[in-house]
Every structure is written in structure tokens, then in C-alpha cells.
């Protein structure tokens, strides 16, 4: 597609359940990033994938969070045993290579009840 | 850790005015800095990217400047329009890998 696509756009889940969020980056972009934006707070970096290199997971808030990127394209962010504090908008971005403009998807709004 | 401050937090101007949004950051060791706009219910739209070696970038009615040594960037919007109403975020990149640190933004309202 023309832009970064994320699904679902909205997700409501019960506390303790696992969720998977999907990101389709712009075709040909080698770098992919996940961020989250909690209510009333700024955007927070979570994880970064660059090509086939090991991902930079330094922003993941706990071991309940994991992400993978299959075939250098689609990425899935998984949150296990969700907690209410995980409620946020999760944004995915891609860029052609590192140190270039980042293009963001519209985000997935996650609500944990 | 990089801290980003944007002033003002909110700004309301009549249509047609020129305006300046300010961004300051504590760690000047950056690769680049991006300005984004965020519309309600939508993702971020990249406006301008300034490399650390550059002092300014222009795109249409937008001009962004960067003073890396003093940890400041400004976004100048000329002849503002109601469609410019959005939250504007600046984000310095520490590593060149889009490990962006975001400010909380300036919410701009342009009144017709």
C-alpha cells in the first residue's frame, strides 16, 4: 500500500488476555519502529527493526512485550497478560533506511478493561 | 535521557498570521530532528527532517531551523490556514535509527 497500515484500529481486551497488533510498513522500507502514546503523555519508543539485524528492544517496558518482523516486512507486537496500564495508542512507523524520514501508521488504540 | 520541551503548549491564531513553534532538547548529540503533525484520531505525519549538519529546511509554507549546539529548533508556519490546526511534535533522533524522543507537542488552532 501507499502508507503504513496497522490493524486492528481499535482493540478492547480483558485484563490478563494476550493481544497481537499488526503493522504493514511501506514496501521497500528496511526500518520499522513501534511506539506507544499513553493518555496525556508523549510518544514512547518501544522497539526498532533494521533489515536482518537484531532488533533494538531497549524501549520495551516489560518482558510481557515482544515483537517480531517476519520476512523483513510485516511486524507483530504481542502483549501477554495485558494490564490496564497497557492501554494506549500503539503506533508503527517505517523508514527507507536509518536516519531518514519516518512514516507513521494511524495506530491501534488498545483498551484493557 | 533526552528531554524535549515544546512551548507554547497551545496556541490560537487568526487565519493568515505567521507563527513560530519552539522546541528545546537537553542532549545536543543528535543525528537529526523531525517535526510531525498529529491530527485527532490519526497517526503522525512527517513535516520536515533536518539533519544535524543542516541549519534549516523548507517545505511550502513551513520552515524549520535547528541550532544543535544550543538544543533548539523552531517551526515557522507562514500565512496560517484553518487546515493547519493540529498538534505539532518535534522529535530529535539520538541514534540515527529513528529512536525518537517526542515532546508533548503544541496544539495549534487557526481561527477562520
Amino acid at each position: 500500500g501507499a502508507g503504513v497500515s496497522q490493524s486492528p484500529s481499535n482493540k478492547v481486551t480483558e485484563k490478563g488476555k494476550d493481544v497481537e497488533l499488526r503493522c504493514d510498513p511501506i514496501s521497500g522500507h528496511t526500518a520499522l519502529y513501534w511506539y506507544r502514546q499513553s493518555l496525556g503523555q508523549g510518544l514512547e519508543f518501544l522497539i526498532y527493526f533494521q533489515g536482518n539485524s537484531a532488533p533494538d528492544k531497549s524501549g520495551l517496558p516489560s518482558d510481557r512485550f515482544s515483537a517480531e518482523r517476519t520476512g523483513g516486512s510485516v511486524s507483530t507486537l504481542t502483549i501477554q497478560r495485558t494490564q490496564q496500564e497497557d492501554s494506549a495508542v500503539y503506533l508503527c512507523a517505517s523508514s527507507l533506511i536509518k536516519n531518514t524520514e519516518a512514516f507513521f501508521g494511524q495506530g491501534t488504540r488498545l483498551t484493557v478493561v | 535521557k533526552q528531554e524535549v520541551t515544546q512551548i507554547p503548549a497551545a496556541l490560537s491564531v487568526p487565519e493568515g498570521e505567521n507563527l513560530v513553534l519552539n522546541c528545546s532538547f537537553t542532549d545536543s548529540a543528535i543525528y537529526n530532528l523531525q517535526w510531525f503533525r498529529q491530527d485527532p484520531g490519526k497517526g503522525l505525519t512527517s513535516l520536515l527532517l533536518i539533519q544535524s549538519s543542516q541549519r534549516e529546511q523548507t517545505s511550502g509554507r513551513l520552515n524549520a531551523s535547528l541550532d544543535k549546539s544550543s538544543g533548539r529548533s523552531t517551526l515557522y508556519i507562514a500565512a496560517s490556514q484553518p487546515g493547519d490546526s493540529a498538534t505539532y511534535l518535534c522529535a530529535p533522533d539520538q541514534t540515527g535509527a529513528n529512536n525518537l524522543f517526542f515532546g508533548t507537542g503544541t496544539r495549534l488552532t487557526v481561527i477562520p
Side-chain angles (χ1 to χ4, degrees), chain A residues 23-46:
Chain A
C23 172
D24 281 273
I26 293 174
S27 178
H29 280 195
T30 64
L32 186 147
Y33 323 81
W34 284 96
Y35 296 82
R36 74 175 175 181
Q37 187 171 30
S38 303
L39 187 64
Q41 299 189 19
L43 278 142
E44 174 188 14
F45 167 79
L46 297 177

Side-chain angles (χ1 to χ4, degrees), chain A residues 12-91:
Chain A
V12 180
T13 189
E14 291 180 355
K15 179 182 173 181
K17 295 283 180 71
D18 298 351
V19 295
E20 285 189 352
L21 312 179
R22 178 187 168 105
C23 172
D24 281 273
I26 293 174
S27 178
H29 280 195
T30 64
L32 186 147
Y33 323 81
W34 284 96
Y35 296 82
R36 74 175 175 181
Q37 187 171 30
S38 303
L39 187 64
Q41 299 189 19
L43 278 142
E44 174 188 14
F45 167 79
L46 297 177
I47 187 168
Y48 158 64
F49 295 89
Q50 172 63 60
N52 296 322
S53 303
D56 175 359
K57 304 179 182 180
S58 60
L60 294 178
S62 78
D63 59 7
R64 296 185 296 104
F65 287 72
S66 63
E68 62 178 22
R69 189 179 185 193
T70 54
S73 181
V74 172
S75 177
T76 302
L77 177 69
T78 301
I79 309 173
Q80 296 177 308
R81 305 181 302 282
T82 52
Q83 303 294 314
Q84 288 185 326
E85 61 263 28
D86 299 335
S87 296
V89 175
Y90 289 81
L91 288 160

